[in-house]
Amino acid sequence: MVHANVYLVRHGETPTTGKVLPGRAPGLHLSARGREQAKEVAAQFSDVHAVYCSPLERTRETAAPLCEKFGLEPVLCDGILEADFGSWTGASLQELSALPEWKVVQQRPSEFRFPGGESFAEMQARVVGALEEIVRRHPGETVVCFSHADPIKAALTHYAGKPLDEFQRAKAAPGSVTRVQL
């Protein structure tokens, strides 16, 4: 079995963090606090061999200080991209929380598909597949993957051997770094 030191980093704060479900919409950049979090992430590492990023601006901006520190170019990876929230993209979290479907999202995510988007199960399979391919490419190396809350939580749930319905219990705060044993 191939092993690597894999770290999952959630992008730093944006102006919409905790207010809107931005999803894959382009053009969302880090806030001043998010830029500070990106510097704090970079300061935590003393050796990195590769950096992978979701292609969205907020993850690339979070990765930039780490890439600069080690002279690396980030590899853009659709496999660790944010969930496809379909027609929910850009919606207010307050408005979404009033929908009856929100209860399913929170309590039984394995049964939910975003309208016009992907299911949590599809997202989890995509993210896990991408991480396992990254490990195969970098045996014995330290790799940092910059992603989003839901993909990170899905990966953490999978690698902890827990059912997808425990997904909402996983934590991935803005700018957080989590080591994953693969």
Side-chain angles (χ1 to χ4, degrees):
M1 178 171 257
V2 179
H3 295 280
N5 293 312
V6 177
Y7 294 85
L8 302 179
V9 179
R10 180 177 173 196
H11 63 79
E13 286 184 14
T14 70
T16 66
T17 298
K19 301 173 191 165
V20 172
L21 197 63
R24 296 178 175 182
L28 181 58
H29 298 275
L30 296 179
S31 64
R33 175 68 187 128
R35 289 189 295 278
E36 285 302 313
Q37 289 169 324
K39 291 175 189 173
E40 292 166 7
V41 166
Q44 295 181 47
F45 291 93
S46 60
D47 187 35
V48 172
H49 299 96
V51 173
Y52 285 77
C53 286
S54 152
L56 296 175
E57 293 93 336
R58 56 196 185 265
T59 54
R60 290 185 284 127
E61 291 171 4
T62 306
L66 182 71
C67 289
E68 184 177 324
K69 179 177 178 177
F70 293 102
L72 297 170
E73 285 294 320
V75 176
L76 300 185
C77 178
D78 288 340
I80 59 174
L81 182 60
E82 177 64 282
D84 181 352
F85 297 128
S87 64
W88 284 22
T89 299
S92 150
L93 290 173
Q94 184 175 1
E95 290 173 9
L96 291 173
S97 69
L99 297 175
E101 296 94 335
W102 191 254
K103 191 173 187 175
V104 179
V105 168
Q106 297 302 312
Q107 296 175 359
R108 296 182 317 280
S110 67
E111 299 175 16
F112 189 77
R113 172 182 294 282
F114 290 98
E118 70 185 333
S119 70
F120 281 101
E122 289 167 334
M123 177 194 61
Q124 185 179 52
R126 170 175 53 81
V127 173
V128 167
L131 292 174
E132 291 177 359
E133 175 60 28
I134 289 167
V135 168
R136 282 191 289 280
R137 290 181 189 168
H138 300 279
E141 296 182 342
T142 298
V143 181
V144 183
C145 300
F146 290 83
S147 187
H148 308 269
D150 285 350
I152 291 171
K153 289 165 50 175
L156 295 176
T157 301
H158 172 81
Y159 289 114
K162 296 181 179 178
L164 183 56
D165 285 338
E166 292 190 26
F167 158 89
Q168 296 294 7
R169 295 181 186 156
K171 303 292 181 215
S176 63
V177 177
T178 306
R179 184 167 185 251
V180 181
Q181 296 287 93
L182 285 99

